[in-house]
Amino acid sequence: MGSGGAPYPDLHPGVLLRMLGSNPICRSVVLYDRIDSTNGAAMRAARSGTSGKALFIADEQSLGRGRMGRSWWSARGKSLLFSLLIRPKREPQGLTPLLALAAVRGLGGICGDVMVKWPNDLFIGERKVAGILAESRDGAVVLGMGLNVNETEEDFPVELRGKATSLAIETGRRQARGGILVRVLKELGGCYDLWCRSGLEPFVVELERRLLYRGEPVALESGGERITGVMTGLTRDGRLRLEVEGNVRILASGDLSLRRVTE
Ligand code: BTN
């Protein structure tokens, strides 16, 4: 399905564009009933020459992609699944935490307890509510987000129960996916020009306040290596600062996973 005649009133492209107004990062919207992956769709559009500021949304994904080659589970009609294609004029580092912060801000009026689990997850309490997958090629950057909106506990596959949550579970109310998407994109649009000029630095203090496990012992695993230390915060460009046996270690995101150490 293209941008016309959407059967999902909460994701109607025309309505979304009107609500977004003159947003600096989103000028067109394509809504799919079902697609392999909105990141895939955005990347294909980039390869065929689509200029940036294009948004791809799906009611359902058949091959949703997560970080580190994982798949991304989602429930038809309940998850917010979108990918934004942009062509930024600076290196894209920092866009994942920027989107995370925009989502935290955008969700603020709905659920105030959303935290950023560095580098790309949003958590409420101990459970994941959203993940971000950023991919880039030849100057095109695709920022994909999967946000659990109206899932019930029973909707989640057994292996995700107790680990994943949704906005409906946390607030006790169904939410309109389009309204949430607009809130997040308005926040991202509001940050984008400053990020283009100054990078992530202007946002780091606020991000640090929202950083899950800050001040706590954590373990990072990357390519078979395990580093344990206390998470002390972020660098000006959004890398993680860890205190390891009295020394500061700076870690870039990449293929690594982060856990709290409880003993
Ligand atoms: C992660 O937590 O590993 C990142 C998950 C990102 C999932 C979203 S859903 C929309 C977009 N399309 C994809 O295939 N992946 C991202």
Side-chain angles (χ1 to χ4, degrees):
M1 179 182 299
S3 50
Y8 318 104
D10 69 331
L11 291 178
H12 192 290
V15 175
L16 293 178
L17 278 172
R18 206 164 47 242
M19 287 165 78
L20 280 167
S22 61
N23 191 297
I25 46 154
C26 182
R27 298 279 159 78
S28 67
V29 179
V30 179
L31 168 64
Y32 299 96
D33 175 46
R34 185 169 200 261
I35 194 152
D36 52 353
S37 149
T38 55
N39 266 39
M43 266 301 170
R44 290 191 289 272
R47 275 201 298 273
S48 61
T50 300
S51 62
K53 305 177 184 180
L55 180 67
F56 300 81
I57 324 169
D59 192 52
E60 184 182 21
Q61 283 186 150
S62 55
L63 284 172
R65 306 204 291 251
R67 279 177 71 241
M68 300 195 277
R70 296 188 188 126
S71 59
W72 178 256
W73 174 88
S74 60
R76 177 180 181 84
K78 297 190 172 182
S79 300
L80 176 57
L81 307 163
F82 70 89
S83 301
L84 185 67
L85 167 61
I86 49 180
R87 295 185 183 272
K89 292 208 169 63
R90 64 180 299 141
E91 286 299 304
Q93 286 92 347
L95 279 173
T96 295
L98 195 71
L99 175 56
L101 182 63
V104 167
R105 286 184 182 177
L107 292 172
I110 297 169
C111 185
D113 302 324
V114 183
M115 300 292 283
V116 178
K117 179 168 174 263
W118 189 88
N120 73 311
D121 293 339
L122 296 184
F123 267 56
I124 302 176
E126 286 295 308
R127 293 159 76 179
K128 179 163 167 169
V129 70
I132 297 169
L133 178 66
E135 299 178 290
S136 54
R137 181 178 296 172
D138 300 334
V141 178
V142 172
L143 282 178
M145 175 177 265
L147 173 65
N148 304 328
V149 178
N150 288 319
E151 291 84 350
T152 62
E153 300 279 9
E154 296 71 38
D155 284 331
F156 290 108
V158 174
E159 64 275 16
L160 292 182
R161 290 201 192 144
K163 295 183 184 158
T165 190
S166 72
L167 295 178
I169 292 171
E170 297 298 328
T171 62
R173 283 196 296 128
R174 285 182 63 81
Q175 309 285 343
R177 291 174 296 177
I180 291 167
L181 176 59
V182 168
R183 282 167 181 259
V184 173
L185 292 181
K186 279 193 165 175
E187 290 292 348
L188 188 62
C191 296
Y192 188 70
D193 285 343
L194 182 55
W195 175 81
C196 288
R197 288 196 305 276
S198 312
L200 199 65
E201 188 171 356
F203 307 98
V204 163
V205 169
E206 187 181 350
L207 261 167
E208 283 188 322
R209 280 203 300 269
R210 286 297 191 156
L211 206 53
L212 191 69
Y213 308 150
R214 186 170 171 217
E216 296 183 45
V218 293
L220 276 149
E221 269 165 50
S222 172
E225 193 196 2
R226 182 181 152 104
I227 307 161
T228 54
V230 173
M231 185 194 288
T232 54
L234 299 174
T235 61
R236 292 188 305 185
D237 58 1
R239 288 173 295 159
L240 193 70
R241 273 205 328 254
L242 214 62
E243 197 179 296
V244 182
E245 293 166 358
N247 299 311
V248 177
R249 279 200 62 175
I250 308 292
L251 294 141
S253 62
D255 284 357
L256 48 80
S257 62
L258 167 73
R259 281 190 300 109
R260 171 191 268 146
V261 177
T262 45
E263 54 195 52

